[in-house]
Amino acid sequence: MTRTEPSMKLSVIIPVFNEAATLRECVDAVLNIASENLRLDVLIIDDGSTDESRNIAAELAAKHDCIKLTVQPGNQGKGAAVRLGFDLVTGDFVAIQDADLEYSPVDLLRLIEPIKRDDADVVFGSRFHGRSLRNMSWRQAIHCLGNRSLTWLSNRMTRLALTDMETCYKVFRREVLADLKLDENRFAIEPQLASEIARLRLRVVELPISYQGRGYGEGKKIGLRDAWRAGYCILFRSSRR
């Protein structure tokens, strides 16, 4: 007889703030990775959107049983949405997915593998692993240099060896979430997650992922204020291993 791999569940948290242009396509791409052996639990957290994002999310939730919509009372930030999502997940694995199509959900299938093999508790998807600045536009190169600088500083404080601490794609074994102490509301949730992962001495694997960066004209929201907050979080709130 052919041995059937046991079915497992992946919870995907999608924080949304004014992503009407891309939300439907993003959710469709996430749904497409489901299979007989991988069920999905899709948690859309609307963070006070003022466009049609909430209506689109409600329509998708009504159409698919695996999608749940939660609405935040006003815009509180990506970190607040992620923290709320962590409280609601039910899967064996938990991933964070931006709704702006910069990241390809197909990569999540590779990122869960080290956790399935019990080789990792957390898997980071690196946008910059093996990529050269020569192959980027000047805007992408500046963004990359900023991320690499924050990653270098984070590594110094946490003793991790990451190439992309700021990546959206962090996949967790669900059981470890209960021990994370998080309170950042905006994009500084990324260095705080790295700090907590180091404090708990979780097993970390980093794998390369595909990435299609977008500009501020296309709705990118992270800015200089967030970079300063990330630096503050790294310097004054990080845990050394």
Side-chain angles (χ1 to χ4, degrees), residues 100-172:
D100 56 13
L101 299 180
E102 288 190 324
Y103 296 81
S104 173
V106 172
D107 286 328
L108 294 175
L109 297 175
R110 289 190 304 106
L111 299 184
I112 66 175
E113 285 301 316
I115 303 177
K116 288 173 65 176
R117 297 193 304 266
D118 197 26
D119 291 334
D121 300 306
V122 185
V123 179
F124 282 63
S126 174
R127 298 165 291 176
F128 309 126
H129 193 283
R131 292 187 69 193
S132 170
L133 293 177
R134 296 177 183 176
N135 299 323
M136 302 180 189
S137 69
W138 68 270
R139 292 178 186 273
Q140 291 174 326
I142 291 173
H143 182 66
C144 178
L145 286 171
N147 275 310
R148 286 182 176 178
S149 297
L150 289 172
T151 296
W152 176 85
L153 186 60
S154 176
N155 286 344
R156 295 277 292 182
M157 298 300 292
T158 62
R159 299 295 188 260
L160 297 176
L162 302 170
T163 65
D164 189 9
M165 173 274 296
E166 288 279 353
T167 180
C168 163
Y169 268 180
K170 299 176 177 71
V171 181
F172 302 82

Side-chain angles (χ1 to χ4, degrees), residues 13-51:
I13 300 168
I14 308 180
V16 174
F17 178 63
N18 292 346
E19 303 286 1
T22 56
L23 178 58
R24 195 184 304 276
E25 186 176 350
C26 171
V27 172
D28 284 346
V30 170
L31 294 177
N32 282 340
I33 69 172
S35 67
E36 181 181 346
N37 297 320
L38 184 67
R39 294 172 292 127
L40 293 179
D41 168 35
V42 181
L43 302 169
I44 300 176
I45 312 295
D46 184 87
D47 191 33
S49 294
T50 56
D51 64 0

Side-chain angles (χ1 to χ4, degrees), residues 216 221-230:
Y216 291 101
K221 301 174 180 68
I222 193 168
L224 186 59
R225 166 191 173 190
D226 299 298
W228 284 114
R229 181 64 188 181

